[in-house]
Amino acid sequence: MDLALLGFLMVATFMTLIMTKRMTPLVALIVVPTAFALIAGFASGLGDMMIDGIKNLAPTGVMLLFAILFFSIMTDTGLFDPLVNRLLRVVHGDPLAILIGTVVLCALVSLDGDGSTTYIITIAALLPLYKRFDMNRLYLCCLLMSTSGIMNLTPWGGPTARAASALKLDPATLFLPLIPGMIAGLAFLIGLAIWFGRKERRRIGHVKASEPTAFTGMAVSQFPEARRPRLRWFNAALTLMLIGGLVSGILPLSVLMMLAFAVAMIVNYPQVAEQKERIAAHAGNVLSVVSLIFAAGIFTGILSGTGMVEAMSKQVVGFIPPVLGPYMAPITALLSLPFTFFISNDAFYFGMLPILAEAGGHYGVSPMAIARASLMGQPVHLLSPLVPSTYLLVSLAGIDLADHQRFTLVPAAVVCVVMTLVGMAVLAFPLMG
């Protein structure tokens, strides 16, 4: 059977099963690609493909494991209580102000270009507010992920660097004309935050920070014995050093997280029994995230190892009729939404983008225009079950992945459309070649 057709069927089957909740993402990520690989006749090399995919995601899995443990412990110690109390005074119990602040804070933190770090910092600061006021955490995840998708287009972000490398372009030249579209996307998200905020105002109204009914679900209240107020300054310094190390890249992310976790445990909970208790308290959260990461490795390993990604890319380009050739830039922007969702960024930018650029070149569309257009789907890409930071976000926020995908898909797609329209308007990539 045709590899491209099998690839499309595999992705469609996988998404249908998890979106309809007929199968958990963990099970679907393992069973679905395995079944399709066997159908395609790759039984002999199946194990090697799986191991290769797992190896590629292993450092990410380790990093997320210790990141969740570290920041969960920091929350248990009460490190973020002063920040939460200050934010409470600033927003004056207004959910609309909290939602607008979500976009602004995420945009600033996202400048480091790392999605996992962004989610860790913003969730730590904002989730207690959402819990205290009993606000809809789907709003939180929607705004954080969409904002992160926009800010991920910076030259030091992964997608722009990949697109520039794949087509041998200068990242700065590639990025600068995208700024108006990014600003437009952020403006749309501010408007979306206002709309969400008005809905929350009608539902819960303005809540005074001093009202006892406003305090619901605080993480520290679950483990009062774990609080360490006397060590707050040490924990703050340790966290700032960790974030500084993440930004500077002094050591691999996984190593930094492991070291920070070990130091935090030794200082805050010197007794072995206390350490075991803290780890056990968050073991379920850690297991659910890390297991999904390694299962995603099986999916991506099979998708790449069988050649399905390459076949799917060529098939899609082959479907574009010659009459649409001069419109390759907006077509690339459109294709970036589903393809960066269904396959990894590496597969799209290093596998499919050169093919699209070559096709566009025949019709006078520059590789630079194709590269810029290919970045427009990033807000939707972050919804993909193949993105490790997605699992970190929903895990920290305590919501279901499928619920998050259904809720956020339309707003994220609209952000992509807004950026695309503005990109064409300012000639970052023209409508026609």
Side-chain angles (χ1 to χ4, degrees), residues 265-287:
M265 290 293 277
I266 291 172
V267 175
N268 287 279
Y269 308 106
Q271 301 298 320
V272 174
E274 292 177 325
Q275 295 180 5
K276 289 181 178 179
E277 186 178 356
R278 290 296 91 227
I279 294 173
H282 304 290
N285 198 15
V286 170
L287 178 62

Side-chain angles (χ1 to χ4, degrees), residues 33-58:
T34 301
F36 276 86
L38 292 174
I39 293 172
F42 289 93
S44 59
L46 190 58
D48 291 337
M49 296 177 198
M50 291 178 169
I51 292 298
D52 288 341
I54 293 172
K55 285 180 180 178
N56 289 335
L57 287 182

Side-chain angles (χ1 to χ4, degrees), residues 72-87:
S72 296
I73 288 170
M74 290 298 101
T75 301
D76 291 349
T77 64
L79 170 63
F80 303 109
D81 287 359
L83 174 61
V84 172
N85 292 331
R86 183 174 294 274
L87 289 172

Side-chain angles (χ1 to χ4, degrees), residues 49-240:
M49 296 177 198
M50 291 178 169
I51 292 298
D52 288 341
I54 293 172
K55 285 180 180 178
N56 289 335
L57 287 182
T60 301
V62 173
M63 186 273 291
L64 293 180
L65 186 157
F66 286 98
I68 294 171
L69 284 176
F70 176 80
F71 283 96
S72 296
I73 288 170
M74 290 298 101
T75 301
D76 291 349
T77 64
L79 170 63
F80 303 109
D81 287 359
L83 174 61
V84 172
N85 292 331
R86 183 174 294 274
L87 289 172
L88 283 170
R89 290 193 293 269
V90 170
V91 300
H92 299 295
D94 185 3
L96 189 148
I98 295 173
L99 285 155
I100 293 175
T102 298
V103 177
V104 175
L105 178 63
C106 185
L108 293 175
V109 177
S110 294
L111 288 172
D112 71 348
D114 182 70
S116 297
T117 305
T118 297
Y119 296 149
I120 288 169
I121 296 172
T122 53
I123 288 289
L126 295 169
L127 183 59
L129 286 175
Y130 280 73
K131 286 185 174 182
R132 285 192 179 191
F133 296 150
D134 194 27
M135 294 172 60
N136 190 342
R137 279 172 278 173
L138 287 173
Y139 295 161
L140 171 65
C141 290
C142 173
L143 294 175
L144 288 181
M145 180 165 284
S146 300
T147 304
S148 180
I150 294 173
M151 300 305 295
N152 206 25
L153 301 186
T154 53
W156 51 89
T160 301
R162 287 181 176 90
S165 300
L167 300 183
K168 298 178 176 60
L169 304 171
D170 177 54
T173 305
L174 176 64
F175 166 72
L176 289 176
L178 298 178
I179 293 176
M182 295 171 64
I183 294 173
L186 291 174
F188 169 79
L189 289 178
I190 292 291
L192 184 64
I194 292 173
W195 183 54
F196 287 160
R198 288 176 176 171
K199 291 175 65 176
E200 289 293 72
R201 274 181 177 176
R202 290 193 296 268
R203 186 174 68 87
I204 62 178
H206 284 64
V207 187
K208 294 181 180 179
S210 59
E211 290 181 5
T213 56
F215 297 82
T216 58
M218 280 294 289
V220 292
S221 66
Q222 298 176 13
F223 309 109
E225 73 284 356
R227 299 188 69 173
R228 297 293 186 269
R230 293 181 179 178
L231 294 172
R232 187 167 290 152
W233 287 109
F234 170 82
N235 289 326
L238 178 62
T239 303
L240 289 174

